[in-house]
Amino acid sequence: MNIETWLSFALAAMVLCFSPGPTLLLVMGQSLTYGKRSVMPLILGVLSGDIIAMSLSVLGLGAILAVSATLFTLFKFLGAAYLCYLGIKAWRNKATKAEDKAPIASGAIFKEALLVTALNPKGIVFFMAFFPLFIDTGLPYLPQVLTLAMTFLLVSALSVSFYSLFAGQLRQKIQSPKLQSGFNKLSGTMLIGAGALTATMQK
């Protein structure tokens, strides 16, 4: 793989990863709810979801989703329903003083980010269609795929870090329980909106 091809892929990955979508809305919503403490679980969850989506694409599920409207719709509504569930949970979160906050459930945040990313059928189909555009058939296949995968994961990590740190910093500066309650409702609305966005996705 030459440097021009790699740079083209990296630029395309940046456009994709930094564009608002269900995963980034989840990241923003969770960061607004839990603050900077949620950054690392979110990053690890999204990257794990990306790895699962890439692996499913390589195994052929992407091709099945691309031709099966029923399976695509099933994945789509599973992801949408889960995002709406998280949004409702955020709406119901009660604001508390900083000293009264319970330790953050890092495992739960990791799981939520992983599921939302991995259940996005658009992502699985994307990896199946996107990666081959940058593969040189005259060169060994595996090293090229690994290079593209690592590049995408790096860009994805930068994107999640940027959005989660921004929202987390904003949350940490708010000490008023009334304003924190407003942030909870804002994050819940964002997550429900992400669910609605996912539900309207077309192949």
Side-chain angles (χ1 to χ4, degrees), residues 9-10 12-19 23-24 27 39 42-51 54 113 117 126-127 148-164:
F9 175 83
M14 288 183 67
V15 171
L16 175 74
C17 291
F18 280 87
S19 298
T23 296
L24 286 185
V27 167
V39 172
L42 283 169
I43 293 173
L44 294 176
V46 170
L47 292 183
S48 298
D50 284 334
I51 291 172
M54 283 188 280
T117 305
F126 164 81
F127 287 124
L148 295 178
M150 293 303 296
T151 301
F152 186 90
L153 291 175
L154 176 60
V155 173
S156 180
L158 291 174
S159 170
V160 174
S161 299
F162 172 79
Y163 281 100
S164 59

Side-chain angles (χ1 to χ4, degrees), residues 159-173:
S159 170
V160 174
S161 299
F162 172 79
Y163 281 100
S164 59
L165 284 171
F166 171 75
Q169 286 280 4
L170 192 61
R171 171 73 183 200
Q172 288 295 106
K173 295 181 184 298

Side-chain angles (χ1 to χ4, degrees), residues 3 14 24 27 44 47 49-50 52 54 61 64 67-68 74 78 93 101-102 119 129 139-140 153 165 178 193 197:
I3 188 66
M14 288 183 67
L24 286 185
V27 167
L44 294 176
L47 292 183
D50 284 334
I52 291 173
M54 283 188 280
L61 182 56
I64 297 173
V67 299
S68 173
L74 175 62
L78 280 174
N93 277 347
K101 286 184 182 293
L119 285 175
L139 296 174
L153 291 175
L165 284 171
K178 184 177 180 179
L197 179 65

Side-chain angles (χ1 to χ4, degrees), residues 54-77:
M54 283 188 280
S55 300
L56 291 175
S57 297
V58 171
L59 292 174
L61 182 56
I64 297 173
L65 284 172
V67 299
S68 173
T70 301
L71 189 58
F72 184 91
T73 301
L74 175 62
F75 264 76
K76 179 176 72 173
F77 283 113

